[in-house]
Amino acid sequence: MKKTVTALLLILALLIAGCSNNDGGGSGTTEKSTLKNIQDKKKLVVGIAPGYFPFEMKSTEGGYVGYDIDLANSIGEWLKVDVEFKQFVFDGLTPALQTGEVDMVIAGMTIRGDRALAVSMSNPYYKTGQAIMVPAASKDIKSWEELDVKGKKIAVGVGTTGALLAKSQFKNAEVVDFEDFPLAATAMGSGQADAVIYDEPAIAVWRLENEGKVHQMEGLLSAENLGIAVKKNDFETLQWLNSFLHSYIDSPAELESRNRWFEESDWLTKVTEE
């Protein structure tokens, strides 16, 4: 009997020791969260896909600018770490996050159920939707159905929500993938496509840049929320980000950023589409 009790006590002690070595709040793993890794290395690496106006763009002076860039830099300031940006084609962002090449993705990424199977998404930091842009000569077109005819081509950014929406909604027109929004919009301008489907803020900026040449159709095809992506089930990092966003959104810093990129237009001459 004593041997049995002793054995049970030994097993219990080992279990307690195992639990005490657990780093992550009952997850059963000693892997550190992204948040802790960022703090340890004193650097935040952010994945972006420049060309998404006015969220992330290349500056003519070098580096990156835009609403998402301001957001990432504010996160760095709160964590007291340096911020490094790594550029990818949009559909390369999730693999980069999964392999640890970046710590998080801040790239106008829409919160969607299918994405949540691969990464974890923060609470929304911006609300937007998909819009349709056509050449100025086609401004009399009133609905997407008028574009959904054989022979028409709809330009989209590869891997974007607009691409998925167009491919599910347009049954007759051809949906053509381009590497990013500027290339899709440029293709339409040169007659290679009849319309572009993309996030409304980016189309609004393109319209400002190309006044009199393009037309944004009224209404939106969808309403969407943009979020920050982190590694799947990294709940410590996710909880911190949500707390940060709660204090950042509508703060003086966020309002200044929002006004700079969405209300003013003088920055248009200071960014490049390449």
Side-chain angles (χ1 to χ4, degrees):
M1 184 69 176
K2 287 184 178 179
K3 290 182 179 180
T4 301
V5 172
T6 301
L8 289 172
L9 290 173
L10 179 59
I11 292 171
L12 181 61
L14 289 172
L15 288 172
I16 293 173
C19 290
S20 65
N21 287 330
N22 189 340
D23 181 66
S27 64
T29 177
T30 57
E31 183 180 355
K32 287 193 296 185
S33 69
T34 298
L35 181 64
K36 283 189 170 63
N37 283 328
I38 292 168
Q39 292 174 311
D40 287 347
K41 65 185 180 182
K42 298 192 180 305
K43 183 169 71 171
L44 165 64
V45 182
V46 179
I48 58 174
Y52 182 32
F53 287 42
F55 290 87
E56 57 234 26
M57 303 160 288
K58 286 184 178 179
S59 168
T60 54
E61 298 177 356
Y64 304 101
V65 295
Y67 183 82
D68 282 353
I69 306 304
D70 288 349
L71 171 58
N73 284 326
S74 290
I75 292 173
E77 290 175 10
W78 276 61
L79 291 174
K80 295 180 172 57
V81 299
D82 295 329
V83 180
E84 177 186 343
F85 296 98
K86 284 193 175 183
Q87 178 179 340
F88 298 86
V89 176
F90 188 81
D91 61 356
L93 289 168
T94 294
L97 180 61
Q98 292 173 320
T99 59
E101 193 170 350
V102 298
D103 297 314
M104 57 185 67
V105 171
I106 306 178
M109 187 171 280
T110 302
I111 301 171
R112 295 198 317 244
D114 60 329
R115 284 200 176 122
L117 296 174
V119 300
S120 289
M121 301 291 294
S122 73
N123 290 340
Y125 68 84
Y126 194 87
K127 294 184 178 182
T128 183
Q130 296 300 308
I132 302 177
M133 181 173 70
V134 296
S138 302
K139 64 182 180 180
D140 291 335
I141 295 176
K142 301 299 181 184
S143 68
W144 68 268
E145 288 91 346
E146 295 179 59
L147 292 166
D148 191 21
V149 296
K150 289 188 181 298
K152 296 284 188 182
K153 292 184 178 181
I154 311 300
V156 297
V158 62
T160 63
T161 299
L164 293 176
L165 180 64
K167 289 172 183 178
S168 66
Q169 195 158 326
F170 285 75
K171 305 300 181 185
N172 300 302
E174 180 186 357
V175 178
V176 184
D177 286 312
F178 289 87
E179 186 173 307
D180 53 31
F181 169 66
L183 286 176
T186 300
M188 186 193 75
S190 64
Q192 299 177 54
D194 299 283
V196 175
I197 294 179
Y198 206 72
D199 288 353
E200 192 276 334
I203 284 181
V205 170
W206 191 270
R207 192 181 71 245
L208 286 174
E209 284 186 291
N210 298 272
E211 189 172 357
K213 298 179 181 179
V214 297
H215 171 72
Q216 181 181 332
M217 290 173 54
E218 291 186 12
L220 297 174
L221 285 177
S222 66
E224 298 155 16
N225 293 306
L226 307 184
I228 300 171
V230 299
K231 274 191 175 181
K232 188 169 175 59
N233 295 333
D234 187 349
F235 297 116
E236 182 178 14
T237 305
L238 208 57
Q239 184 179 36
W240 185 89
L241 278 175
N242 289 338
S243 297
F244 161 79
L245 290 173
H246 184 74
S247 60
Y248 176 73
I249 296 172
D250 291 330
S251 70
E254 191 271 338
L255 291 173
E256 180 183 351
S257 178
R258 199 190 313 170
N259 183 70
R260 180 188 308 123
W261 302 114
F262 294 98
E263 303 298 331
E264 300 174 1
S265 60
D266 59 335
W267 53 266
L268 287 168
T269 60
K270 302 173 184 176
V271 298
T272 175
E273 295 165 10
E274 297 179 357

